[in-house]
Amino acid sequence: MAKTWKVKALTATERVENGIHIYDPGKQEWLVIKEFDDFEKAENWMIGYIRKNNLYHGDFKITR
């Protein structure tokens, strides 16, 4: 079994009521958004993604 590095993003549960998007902050979870065989590639992709989309780095992590 090959070990992969997973880039994860912190997401909040969302529901729509009467056309309004409502986020439940108490129901956050880490979702895998991309996998890599090499840590350096995972880190470079994640940093580029965060910079390109002007996101907060604390909402992302890399795990094995």
Side-chain angles (χ1 to χ4, degrees):
M1 181 173 142
K3 293 193 176 188
T4 60
W5 295 95
K6 296 170 179 70
V7 177
K8 296 182 178 183
L10 186 62
T11 60
T13 304
E14 173 188 10
R15 67 181 191 280
V16 179
E17 292 181 10
N18 298 323
I20 300 172
H21 293 265
I22 301 169
Y23 298 94
D24 295 328
K27 297 183 180 181
Q28 296 178 337
E29 61 184 349
W30 291 98
L31 294 179
V32 176
I33 56 175
K34 196 155 177 133
E35 291 187 35
F36 296 88
D37 292 330
D38 181 45
F39 177 80
E40 186 177 354
K41 289 179 184 176
E43 184 178 40
N44 289 337
W45 181 85
M46 183 183 74
I47 291 170
Y49 182 78
I50 291 169
R51 287 180 180 167
K52 178 182 175 187
N53 295 296
N54 198 26
L55 300 170
Y56 174 62
H57 64 84
D59 289 341
F60 296 87
K61 69 179 179 180
I62 300 173
T63 61
R64 201 155 208 190

